Amino acid sequence: MQMDTQRFLDLVEKSKTLASFDIEATGLRGDYNSILCLSVKPYGEKPTTFSVVQPGNDQKVVREAKELLESMDCWITYYGKGFDVKMLDTRLLKWGLHPVQKRPHIDMYYQLKSHILTARRSQAHLLEWLDTPEKKMTVGADMWNDVIRNPAKTMKIMVDRCESDCAGLETLYARTRHVIQDIRR
């Protein structure tokens, strides 16, 4: 049985099983890098964030995040099919765990790329251009290095950024929901 996309979105919003999620990591490849934090924000709710105490030891973070993500019926990410899901699966593999079970996944990067023509496609640019109240939190290059050198001092900033990205993602979704026509895993 097929269900209309907008009706499906109504259902997962109301049931609180639609969630945005984001990852902050030490780099872009899961073999040489690891996850610092992962935030999951059910639609209209506060985020839950899993974060490491020491970079490199993300076993508990990926296991607990996987459990929460698998309790959701639909995910929202921004380039999550290209990075977040693959990074999570790579780190799960490292620790001998199964990949996260796929869900209907709204990747706003691909959704908007196929419907609008803007000069830039970043989440930050779209939030700014659409004049949304949420903006993307920037973190300078030194902060990314400091998180390895002194995680106790800098992890709070990484968690704030991760949660901010989820809030911005939810705002972008709400502002552009009407253009979503197809949801794939």
Side-chain angles (χ1 to χ4, degrees), residues 9 13 20 29 31 75 100 106 112 121-122 126-127 130 151 160 177 179:
L9 294 175
E13 284 176 19
S20 59
R29 300 289 183 244
D31 51 353
W75 304 328
V100 67
I106 304 164
L112 297 176
R121 293 190 179 136
S122 71
L126 294 172
L127 290 169
L130 292 170
D160 289 347
R177 178 191 195 266
V179 302

Side-chain angles (χ1 to χ4, degrees), residues 56-80:
N57 187 8
D58 60 2
Q59 184 175 11
K60 183 178 179 191
V61 167
V62 300
R63 183 177 32 82
E64 291 178 351
K66 175 185 188 291
E67 288 174 18
L68 181 54
L69 285 169
E70 288 178 346
S71 74
M72 297 295 155
D73 291 322
C74 185
W75 304 328
I76 308 168
T77 61
Y78 199 88
Y79 199 66

